[in-house]
Amino acid sequence: MKLYKVFAFLVVIPMSLAGCVGLGSNATYYMGATSFHYDDSYHAYKIELNGQRIGGGDGKSVITSPIKVGSQEVVWGESNSYKMHEAKNQLIIAKEKLKGKKYLALHIYPDDTVDVTTSNDLPNPTEKGLAWMEKQRSQGVKRGK
């Protein structure tokens, strides 16, 4: 019986805790998650990363979400038509990008491509996103129309 307890302590318990501390290929990190949407023609809603809701409001709404390492499925809704969008590019998040960070920001661009940034402070828009916004404003696109 003593040998069984030693085995459990040295092998089973550390292996079961591996996922909690971000070890292994399917590590999950709980982070403050938000999103920035750069298409002025509609408001994005129900933004999901691997089926988990994340905050929106162009970085103003942050919620704690489980973020898995690896390939990501990103979907969101369009307020004008209730059309659902799916990211056109493959988004892969490496453990190194999440490790030691507090916030993840999903950036949704008008061409339906996405990117993520991580930080220890509240996230900011990307230069790429700001350039998209400026281009739309110069073309007369109104926010949410």
Side-chain angles (χ1 to χ4, degrees):
M1 188 63 143
K2 197 175 202 179
L3 182 62
Y4 177 75
K5 288 180 183 178
V6 171
F7 175 76
F9 183 74
L10 294 176
V11 178
V12 175
I13 292 173
M15 294 303 281
S16 65
L17 292 175
C20 297
V21 295
L23 300 174
S25 59
N26 293 329
T28 300
Y29 293 80
Y30 286 83
M31 308 175 73
T34 189
S35 62
F36 291 85
H37 175 250
Y38 301 105
D39 189 339
D40 276 346
S41 67
Y42 68 93
H43 294 287
Y45 74 97
K46 196 178 175 192
I47 302 163
E48 295 182 355
L49 187 64
N50 286 336
Q52 298 293 322
R53 297 283 294 266
I54 64 171
D58 293 328
K60 295 179 181 88
S61 172
V62 177
I63 61 174
T64 302
S65 298
I67 309 297
K68 288 193 173 203
V69 170
S71 183
Q72 309 294 311
E73 180 183 332
V74 182
V75 296
W76 65 95
E78 180 179 323
S79 61
N80 293 349
S81 67
Y82 301 104
K83 172 185 172 188
M84 293 304 291
H85 293 256
E86 186 173 347
K88 288 184 178 177
N89 61 316
Q90 175 152 14
L91 179 63
I92 298 174
I93 300 177
K95 182 181 357 179
E96 294 75 28
K97 190 159 190 143
L98 301 178
K99 200 168 189 176
K101 301 296 182 182
K102 295 179 183 175
Y103 298 99
L104 177 135
L106 175 70
H107 301 272
I108 304 171
Y109 301 108
D111 60 357
D112 283 355
T113 60
V114 297
D115 194 12
V116 294
T117 57
T118 56
S119 64
N120 286 318
D121 297 315
L122 288 173
N124 292 311
T126 61
E127 290 297 320
K128 178 180 176 181
L130 293 173
W132 272 105
M133 298 285 285
E134 184 57 37
K135 179 180 177 184
Q136 291 173 88
R137 287 187 185 117
S138 69
Q139 294 172 345
V141 177
K142 302 286 186 199
R143 185 81 169 154
K145 302 283 182 192

